[in-house]
Amino acid sequence: MADTTKIAGTGPGSLATAAGMLKHGKLVAFPTETVYGLGADATNATAVADLFAVKARPRFNPLIAHVPNLNAADRIADIPSRAETLVETLWPGAVTLVLPKRADGPVCDLATAGLDTIAVRIPAHPVARQLLERADRPIVAPSANRSGRLSPTQPTHVADELGGLIPLIIADGRTGIGVESTIIDLSGDAPVLLRPGGVAREEIETLLGRALAMPESDAEPKAPGALSSHYAPTLPVRLNARTVEQDEALLTFGPDLRQGPNVRNLSENGDLIEAAANLFSHLRELDHVKSVRRIAVTSIPDHGLGEAINDRLRRAAAPR
Ligand code: TXA
Ligand code: MG
């Protein structure tokens, strides 16, 4: 825990400091191409316990281990040959693979919630990669928000969520993709889409030459962030709205003449990539509009990154 949170840039001095803090068990927020992450040394159970406490995250929810390259991934997970195409084409990038965990590997059990699998990601963001190289150990990094809340896509979001609770935020503007990585479970017989995210299902299915299965039950601890409320603003969310009520703010998509202080458009051109990048910041802004009691959201196409957007919106609208 820390009383004051320092916000630093991405120069070599800042990254050296950040890596040093991670090595000493401290928590550091840093940018990735999806959302800002809150990093902790995956090999240090005390640091990981501190991370769970700061986020108020349920202990059974395992974390993603971030590494800078394939060699480092190989030291913590068994990379099966059927993963090769995905690994070669999509890493580094916004895809997380759930793989058999190396029993003799360095990642602590708390990080993987005692599972015999481990979620691994090699981020593409240059700052994230430099930090991971300097830290020289796997770094677990959930989104840098309190558990259940909107993921941060800007440094100010991180400061709003975790200011005073963590010692350092590495700030590098807005994240490019805006929704979390796509999670594919490759530990079983058939590949399973555990969480739609920054790489569209269609792209992965084309690479694999087969359809991705869906998780068997959303209630299992394996299912990321179970369907219960998650990625939630403070205000209630109403989906598939055609009209807006007096006390509602509006989150819309595509050509829409409605404008004003209570309206945000995810993408006037109907571009789902742009919409994903705007999703969490627009929700956050509408959440702060005075005298609004609910956020109405128009329907959004379900293909490409629309699947990840709709997944996050359904969770935001789920009963609390
Ligand atoms: O884009 C991202 O993935 C971001 C950035 C910071 O890298 N991180 C992120 O982490 O979204 P987090 O902790 O918010 O989400 C990780 C999800 C959790 O919902 C968890 O259930 C799932 O990954 N997960 C982790 N390990 C798993 C495992 N062994 N099996 C199944 N799911 C796992
Ligand atoms: Mg999260």
Side-chain angles (χ1 to χ4, degrees), residues 99-285:
L99 302 165
K101 182 182 180 180
R102 276 203 194 283
D104 57 353
V107 173
C108 68
D109 283 337
L110 183 57
T112 47
L115 297 172
D116 53 12
T117 56
I118 183 166
V120 185
R121 164 155 139 76
I122 302 180
H125 195 294
V127 172
R129 296 189 71 192
Q130 286 170 53
L131 182 60
L132 292 170
E133 269 160 22
R134 284 173 186 269
D136 196 27
R137 66 203 58 205
I139 298 293
V140 284
S143 47
N145 52 274
R146 279 170 294 135
S147 188
R149 304 294 311 280
L150 296 170
S151 299
T153 55
Q154 297 176 30
T156 51
H157 299 165
V158 182
D160 288 349
E161 290 282 329
L162 300 174
L165 295 175
I166 60 172
L168 181 64
I169 300 170
I170 298 293
D172 191 34
R174 291 171 57 123
T175 62
I177 293 177
V179 290
E180 296 81 352
S181 60
T182 304
I183 305 181
I184 311 289
D185 186 352
L186 290 177
S187 67
D189 293 336
V192 178
L193 177 65
L194 291 182
R195 178 177 74 183
V199 176
R201 166 207 287 273
E202 294 90 328
E203 188 179 338
I204 294 165
E205 292 184 333
T206 303
L207 285 170
L208 289 173
R210 64 183 292 176
L212 289 168
M214 293 304 278
E216 274 169 21
S217 154
D218 227 22
E220 282 177 42
K222 272 207 129 181
L227 189 59
S228 56
S229 173
H230 211 84
Y231 309 105
T234 313
L235 295 173
V237 172
R238 181 168 70 89
L239 299 182
N240 301 316
R242 288 161 187 272
T243 55
V244 198
E245 284 162 28
Q246 199 72 52
D247 57 356
E248 286 183 328
L250 174 67
L251 184 68
T252 183
F253 173 82
D256 191 329
L257 293 177
R258 290 170 290 191
Q259 285 182 346
N262 300 356
V263 179
R264 293 290 181 286
N265 197 323
L266 288 170
S267 169
E268 286 179 14
N269 302 326
D271 177 347
L272 288 165
I273 295 174
E274 182 184 15
N278 285 329
L279 178 68
F280 289 129
S281 55
H282 280 10
L283 276 172
R284 221 172 251 277
E285 284 169 20

